[in-house]
Amino acid sequence: MILASHSRCRMRCSVLHLLRCVRLRLCSRRGRSRLPLWAQRIQAYIKLLAQSLCFNSLTDSDVVFDSIFEPVFVTVDYVTRWFGMVFVCLVVILTSSVVMITYIVLLPLALTTYSPAWIAWHSLYGNWNLIMIAFHYYKAIKTSPGYPPAEKNDRPFVSVCKKCIMPKPARTHHCGICNRCILKMDHHCPWLNNCVGHFNHRYFFSFCLFMTLGCVYCSISCRNMFLDAYNSLERFKHLDSEKPGIPVTGMGLLLGLLPSGQVLSEQKPRTPAPPYTFKEKMFHKSIVYMWVLTSTAGVALGALTVWHAVLISRGETSIERHINKKEAVRLAQWGKLYKNPFNYSKLNNWKIFLGVEKKSHWVTRVLLPSGHPPHGDGLTWDVFPVKRDLIAV
């Protein structure tokens, strides 16, 4: 009896040992066949993305669209973040090229062509416009758009950011490129490599406005020079096409360029020099380049400036434009009318945006470079102050 029980115990131990060995071998094989860490992350992300598409019955087409194109949005944000300095350098290079052409090519010609009154007008306006462009572009790049406080405070907030896990004051939105919340965010501008928010919105709009005025000024004042330069380049091309060929020497006979027995006389005069020089050709090309660049930039930037001027008149940003439109449609279905709570009338909106507190500020703060801060701190906002002026002028 004892022997039988002992044999059964040995058999049970051997079976358990065999199962343990099989389990260890399967685990080792499974460990050897494990995917790399980057592949596991992609697999987990795809699994989570697929589960998010059928999370609950409240999932709509917008959620599905955002979930599917989330990798595309992340890639665009990444590229925009790292190419910001490239765009800034491009703006500086293009603007500097126009300034160099103006001072090196056009200014000597204007001094010998225009009257003293026209020279004084172009000098004053051109240099003033250039100073305003450079000042506001530098301030738009270097000025922080404004961030909500990171520490706990008693400031009112409207929601909690799902990415920062921090309270969001009114008119605050999260920027995926900067990876933080921005006060009164309008958009992220790659040409500034910075967000456009509460503290640099005025600099951004002023830069767009004065850059548009400068492009229109160059395009209109140089239109006759552009036509003359373009026609001159066309004549140069026509002369190049009619230019006689270079005389063929004895090497040409070996290459078969001339029939056998036909030899050009060495006393034949050579091809005359072209009637234009390299300096003249580059002079005309630079004028054509400047006119085309300023005209196209003036049209594109002018449309952007007009759009932002309309938004400022309505007291809203680019993001709030879409939010207010959706809210208006949603309340219209209930028979209600939606009003923007931050619209203080057109004149008040412009006074608040530009920081005009006195009549003299229309000159000192709008027509001249000024680094004054905007109205308010960007954390709290007055709602519906239509009956009174926030800034009495």
Side-chain angles (χ1 to χ4, degrees):
M1 189 71 180
I2 295 175
L3 292 175
S5 61
H6 182 68
S7 62
R8 283 197 299 269
C9 289
R10 291 185 61 185
M11 185 179 297
R12 186 180 300 171
C13 291
S14 62
V15 172
L16 292 175
H17 180 70
L18 179 62
L19 291 176
R20 190 179 294 110
C21 292
V22 172
R23 183 180 179 183
L24 290 174
R25 182 171 296 179
L26 290 176
C27 290
S28 63
R29 289 182 179 179
R30 189 177 300 171
R32 287 195 301 266
S33 61
R34 182 177 296 178
L35 295 174
L37 183 60
W38 63 270
Q40 291 181 14
R41 291 179 178 176
I42 295 177
Q43 183 180 5
Y45 181 78
I46 294 175
K47 184 178 179 180
L48 179 63
L49 185 64
Q51 292 176 354
S52 66
L53 296 179
C54 54
F55 181 72
N56 53 35
S57 59
L58 299 178
T59 302
D60 55 3
S61 59
D62 294 337
V63 176
V64 175
F65 179 82
D66 293 340
S67 301
I68 293 176
F69 285 91
E70 182 66 21
V72 179
F73 299 150
V74 173
T75 303
V76 172
D77 292 344
Y78 181 82
V79 172
T80 305
R81 184 184 304 115
W82 287 104
F83 275 84
M85 288 303 300
V86 176
F87 291 136
V88 172
C89 293
L90 187 61
V91 172
V92 174
I93 292 173
L94 293 178
T95 307
S96 301
S97 65
V98 173
V99 174
M100 290 178 61
I101 292 173
T102 302
Y103 279 95
I104 297 176
V105 177
L106 298 183
L107 184 59
L109 182 63
L111 293 176
T112 58
T113 305
Y114 293 139
S115 62
W118 274 107
I119 293 175
W121 153 251
H122 285 291
S123 300
L124 291 176
Y125 178 81
N127 288 286
W128 168 78
N129 202 344
L130 179 61
I131 292 173
M132 298 296 286
I133 291 172
F135 172 80
H136 288 102
Y137 187 67
Y138 176 79
K139 296 292 287 185
I141 293 175
K142 291 298 182 180
T143 303
S144 171
Y147 311 110
E151 65 278 358
K152 185 178 180 180
N153 57 80
D154 297 331
R155 295 278 187 174
F157 60 94
V158 296
S159 63
V160 176
C161 181
K162 295 182 291 185
K163 296 184 179 181
C164 296
I165 317 298
M166 293 295 295
K168 289 173 58 176
R171 314 185 78 176
T172 300
H173 302 280
H174 185 87
C175 177
I177 300 175
C178 297
N179 198 22
R180 62 188 309 177
C181 290
I182 308 297
L183 297 177
K184 193 194 169 187
M185 178 180 176
D186 187 90
H187 69 287
H188 184 93
C189 182
W191 300 102
L192 300 178
N193 194 27
N194 194 9
C195 261
V196 177
H198 176 65
F199 290 99
N200 64 347
H201 194 181
R202 179 179 67 89
Y203 298 129
F204 166 77
F205 177 79
S206 298
F207 164 72
C208 293
L209 176 63
F210 289 109
M211 179 64 83
T212 301
L213 294 177
C215 291
V216 172
Y217 164 73
C218 292
S219 179
I220 294 177
S221 60
C222 297
R223 66 186 185 278
N224 293 330
M225 294 183 181
F226 164 74
L227 295 175
D228 295 339
Y230 182 79
N231 294 329
S232 299
L233 290 176
E234 289 296 324
R235 288 196 300 269
F236 295 161
K237 292 180 181 179
H238 183 68
L239 292 175
D240 288 337
S241 62
E242 292 183 353
K243 188 184 300 183
I246 300 175
V248 180
T249 59
M251 185 61 68
L253 297 176
L254 299 177
L255 298 177
L257 297 179
L258 290 176
S260 178
Q262 183 177 355
V263 182
L264 293 176
S265 175
E266 295 183 358
Q267 287 76 20
K268 187 176 181 179
R270 292 180 177 271
T271 303
Y276 59 90
T277 62
F278 176 78
K279 182 178 180 180
E280 294 176 348
K281 197 171 184 179
M282 293 304 299
F283 174 84
H284 292 92
K285 284 186 176 181
S286 61
I287 294 177
V288 173
Y289 160 79
M290 185 186 71
W291 191 88
V292 172
L293 178 62
T294 55
S295 299
T296 53
V299 172
L301 203 57
L304 179 65
T305 305
V306 171
W307 167 248
H308 278 277
V310 173
L311 294 179
I312 295 169
S313 300
R314 297 174 178 174
E316 57 187 8
T317 61
S318 300
I319 298 177
E320 292 173 351
R321 171 61 178 167
H322 300 287
I323 297 175
N324 294 340
K325 188 176 181 181
K326 289 183 178 180
E327 286 296 314
V329 173
R330 184 179 67 85
L331 292 179
Q333 297 175 354
W334 294 84
K336 299 180 180 180
L337 180 63
Y338 175 78
K339 291 184 179 180
N340 179 17
F342 308 111
N343 185 6
Y344 310 139
S345 77
K346 292 182 179 180
L347 181 59
N348 281 327
N349 291 333
W350 280 104
K351 289 191 294 185
I352 294 171
F353 178 79
L354 298 174
V356 176
E357 300 176 357
K358 299 186 299 184
K359 291 184 178 180
S360 60
H361 287 169
W362 290 106
V363 176
T364 58
R365 292 188 173 185
V366 178
L367 299 181
L368 294 177
S370 176
H372 64 278
H375 178 75
D377 56 1
L379 298 175
T380 57
W381 300 90
D382 294 330
V383 180
F384 294 121
V386 179
K387 299 299 182 181
R388 59 186 178 88
D389 292 343
L390 286 181
I391 301 178
V393 178

